[in-house]
Amino acid sequence: MRVNAYAAPAAGQPLAPTTIERRDVGRNDVLIEIEFAGICHSDIHTVNGDWGPQPFPVVPGHEIVGVVAEVGADVTRHRVGDRVGVGCMVNSCGECANCRSGDEQYCLQGMVPTYAGTDRDGSTTQGGYSTHVVVDAGYVLTVPDGIEAAAAAPLLCAGITTYSPLRRWGAGPGKQVAVVGLGGLGHMAVKLAHAMGAEVTVLSQSLKKQEDGLRLGADAYFATSDPETFTELAGRFDLVVNTVSAPIDVNAYLSLLAVDGALVNVGAPAEPLAVNAMSLIGGRRTFAGSMIGGIAETQEMLDFCAEHGIGAEVEVIAANRVNEAYERVLASDVRYRFVIDAATLR
């Protein structure tokens, strides 16, 4: 079927209206009428070519919430009319050790990203800045009642990207957790870590978002532009989650960790990050990375958010404002996630 979309025609070029072809609904597929699609910093990195050559034209968008419009003959988990979501991947081999253990995002044959990827049938995937998408039912999530649809969309990337390392490294009562950056990812990390029972500190360049950070669940807020911050907080944290997509002084942040603490990168800067081995050795510290979550963990995250009344802080926009939104994201002028109203594409 032919559907309306917004696509980047080439690296660094503004997105523009277009139409794309969606495959026919197969026996294991779900056709979703998209309601909302979040704008992730990864979308901007991709269309700007920051992460290498891409199969342009590219329709970005991997924070998708919509309603099931049709299901294939073998689909039993989802029904027409269900509210569902699609995150950052739409396929994997399903057979390797990582897929079998529920870590499809680390598929040894390469998971299939929701856009700018090559699907198992050889086609190029196109994302959620569109009116409809067809996805294998195994990669479609249930969006529980109680989470407003627009606020749920960013959970499919920003939510799981922060939930997974918080769970993996044991955020909870008695734990000191720091979140670097209060943007699209960071504000979700604060909400989730607070709901898990951890004591949460925000580390941001300035104090301009301090009121927001405390409102969202942070117990403390420090400016990293003040050198005294690193002196005062040295050795304090069990876990530091770095959400920024720009270079940081990794060694300075490692100094904030207690013995056996972990600094986990979920932001993905284009530039390499330098690490001094002594920054790790001196406190038996860990510098790690984490990428989204498997399908089961993503569903767990959605259920957790519904249970705790958690959604993203969003600014809903029409599709024709997407290029303006990109500029504002790069200027840190959004609190805290732009979400496209797909009805404006129809």
Side-chain angles (χ1 to χ4, degrees), residues 11-268:
Q13 296 296 307
L15 278 72
T18 188
T19 60
I20 58 173
E21 189 71 29
R22 295 298 192 188
R23 69 173 183 261
D24 293 337
V25 177
R27 299 187 66 86
N28 294 303
D29 285 338
V30 175
L31 171 65
I32 301 167
E33 183 176 348
I34 298 173
E35 295 180 307
F36 296 98
I39 293 177
C40 177
H41 207 135
S42 298
D43 302 348
I44 300 173
H45 280 306
T46 300
V47 302
N48 283 345
D50 295 340
W51 292 342
Q54 304 296 331
F56 292 103
V58 169
V59 177
H62 56 206
E63 298 180 338
I64 302 168
V65 167
V67 175
V68 175
E70 183 181 345
V71 298
D74 294 340
V75 175
T76 58
R77 290 177 53 196
H78 307 289
R79 297 180 179 180
V80 172
D82 287 353
R83 177 158 290 161
V84 295
V86 178
C88 301
M89 61 179 165
V90 292
N91 218 327
S92 68
C93 79
E95 298 174 353
C96 71
N98 292 348
C99 286
R100 292 198 307 271
S101 66
D103 286 321
E104 299 96 337
Q105 75 275 31
Y106 304 126
C107 175
L108 294 174
Q109 294 188 31
M111 67 87 164
V112 178
T114 303
Y115 61 83
T118 302
D119 211 340
R120 298 300 173 200
D121 61 2
S123 64
T124 298
T125 57
Q126 301 289 0
Y129 298 7
S130 57
T131 59
H132 296 78
V133 65
V134 179
V135 179
D136 184 291
Y139 298 82
V140 176
L141 289 305
T142 297
V143 177
D145 294 337
I147 310 177
E148 194 272 327
L155 301 181
L156 277 304
C157 176
I160 186 57
T161 294
T162 50
Y163 179 91
S164 186
L166 289 169
R167 275 290 190 231
R168 174 69 58 181
W169 277 273
K175 296 290 187 177
Q176 292 275 353
V177 174
V179 176
V180 183
L182 192 69
L185 291 174
H187 92 285
M188 288 306 312
V190 170
K191 287 189 173 191
L192 291 165
H194 174 73
M196 291 174 183
E199 186 168 336
V200 185
T201 298
V202 173
L203 304 174
S204 186
Q205 283 188 310
S206 73
L207 298 178
K208 68 179 182 180
K209 297 180 182 177
Q210 182 175 24
E211 184 177 340
D212 276 3
L214 299 176
R215 173 180 60 83
L216 294 169
D219 300 284
Y221 199 110
F222 287 84
T224 56
S225 57
D226 181 357
E228 290 301 312
T229 290
F230 290 90
T231 301
E232 181 176 349
L233 299 179
R236 176 173 299 189
F237 298 106
D238 302 293
L239 174 63
V240 176
V241 179
N242 175 33
T243 71
V244 300
S245 292
I248 64 165
D249 183 345
V250 173
N251 301 295
Y253 285 91
L254 286 169
S255 75
L256 303 179
L257 294 173
V259 171
D260 290 328
L263 168 61
V264 182
N265 230 69
V266 295

Side-chain angles (χ1 to χ4, degrees), residues 280-298:
L280 300 171
I281 294 169
R284 203 163 59 209
R285 301 180 178 112
T286 299
F287 180 40
S290 181
M291 183 179 74
I292 58 171
I295 295 300
E297 187 177 43
T298 304

